[in-house]
């Protein structure tokens, strides 16, 4: 089984890093990112609109001292290595964090040393539907955004929602991984499923 992983919020700890960036910019968050339940970050930055928050995210994505130094999510490095053992397929990253050559190089630098086979970067905040359609149906797709998982399901993929305080609502019937060990449990269950055989053709 091949695997497609989102990066921010799955492999890299985007929100803790963005909180530090904003504090460095003179706008410390009002609450911890661990208690932010809204994708518009209205609790962390109540004085900013969503477009203003996005502007700061884009600004950070163009600063190598920030964009190439995200910390790993707990268990990500070992989890990726174990995920390859479990699935036996390729592991690639698909992220909508910007696709300028410099941004690609910075992100590649940030992911160095991980057991990955590829990195595909889309424009900042871009929809993943078209990109996902190019991957093999039946692959495992992991993301922290429910809207992206819906696109994965449309592409015929097995999906897992990676836990974030911001996706506590809208989870629907998605499989949810609370952390990397939990994601590995889902991967084991999916790869252990028996192959569905087509009924044999009858001949007379």
């Amino acid at each position: 089984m091949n695997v497609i992983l989102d990066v921010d919020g799955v492999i890299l700890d985007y929100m803790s890093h963005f909180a530090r960036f904003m504090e460095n910019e003179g706008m410390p968050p009002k609450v911890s990112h661990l208690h932010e339940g809204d994708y518009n970050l209205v609790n962390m930055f109540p004085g900013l609109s969503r477009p203003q928050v996005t502007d700061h995210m884009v600004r950070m994505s163009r600063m190598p001292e920030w964009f190439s130094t995200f910390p790993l999510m707990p268990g990500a490095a070992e989890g990726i290595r174990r995920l390859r053992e479990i699935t036996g397929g390729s592991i690639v990253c698909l992220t909508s964090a910007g696709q300028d050559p410099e941004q690609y190089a910075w992100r590649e630098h940030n992911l160095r040393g991980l057991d990955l086979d590829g990195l595909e970067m889309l424009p900042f905040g871009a929809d993943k539907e078209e990109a996902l359609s190019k991957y093999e149906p039946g692959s495992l797709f992991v993301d922290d955004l429910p809207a992206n998982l819906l696109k994965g399901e449309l592409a015929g993929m097995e999906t897992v929602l990676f836990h974030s305080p911001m996706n506590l609502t809208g989870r629907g019937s998605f499989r949810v991984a609370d952390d990397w060990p939990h994601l590995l449990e889902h991967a084991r269950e999916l790869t252990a499923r028996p192959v569905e055989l087509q009924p044999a053709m009858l001949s007379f």
Side-chain angles (χ1 to χ4, degrees):
M1 172 182 280
N2 295 326
V3 181
I4 302 102
L5 298 174
D6 179 33
V7 176
D8 297 308
V10 175
I11 299 176
L12 300 180
D13 189 350
Y14 186 93
M15 288 308 303
S16 70
H17 202 57
F18 181 63
R20 287 192 290 271
F21 170 78
M22 292 297 281
E23 186 171 3
N24 188 70
E25 294 284 289
M27 290 171 281
K30 301 299 182 183
V31 300
S32 166
H33 67 284
L34 298 174
H35 302 295
E36 178 57 81
D38 191 301
Y39 282 109
N40 294 318
L41 309 190
V42 296
N43 299 298
M44 292 175 68
F45 307 107
L48 298 179
S49 66
R50 177 62 204 193
Q52 289 174 318
V53 170
T54 299
D55 286 344
H56 287 290
M57 290 178 171
V58 172
R59 172 174 158 75
M60 182 178 70
S61 76
R62 300 191 179 283
M63 301 172 70
E65 65 271 29
W66 287 96
F67 195 67
S68 65
T69 57
F70 286 93
L72 289 172
M73 294 288 283
E78 174 66 9
I80 291 171
R81 187 186 69 77
R82 296 288 304 280
L83 192 59
R84 184 182 297 281
E85 294 175 356
I86 292 167
T87 62
S90 66
I91 302 178
V92 300
C93 295
L94 177 63
T95 177
S96 302
Q99 61 177 180
D100 291 347
E102 296 85 359
Q103 291 171 314
Y104 187 95
W106 299 335
R107 177 126 293 186
E108 193 172 46
H109 173 80
N110 205 165
L111 298 172
R112 71 193 185 284
L114 300 179
D115 189 12
L116 300 167
D117 296 304
L119 169 63
E120 181 175 0
M121 295 183 65
L122 305 176
F124 188 90
D127 185 277
K128 295 183 177 180
E129 182 173 5
E130 182 178 354
L132 287 169
S133 69
K134 301 173 185 177
Y135 291 95
E136 181 181 2
S139 298
L140 172 60
F141 174 49
V142 184
D143 204 295
D144 64 325
L145 293 178
N148 286 338
L149 287 198
L150 289 173
K151 306 299 173 60
E153 290 186 345
L154 288 173
M157 296 181 176
E158 301 288 355
T159 60
V160 175
L161 181 68
F162 203 89
H163 167 77
S164 161
M166 292 180 285
N167 65 31
L168 290 177
T169 59
R171 290 183 170 187
S173 60
F174 293 126
R175 300 180 192 89
V176 178
D178 295 326
D179 50 25
W180 267 92
H182 196 189
L183 173 58
L184 296 178
E185 290 180 21
H186 285 302
R188 290 188 191 96
E189 292 170 1
L190 289 169
T191 54
R193 283 182 177 179
V195 177
E196 294 185 7
L197 299 177
Q198 296 296 320
M201 295 293 292
L202 299 179
S203 59
F204 298 94

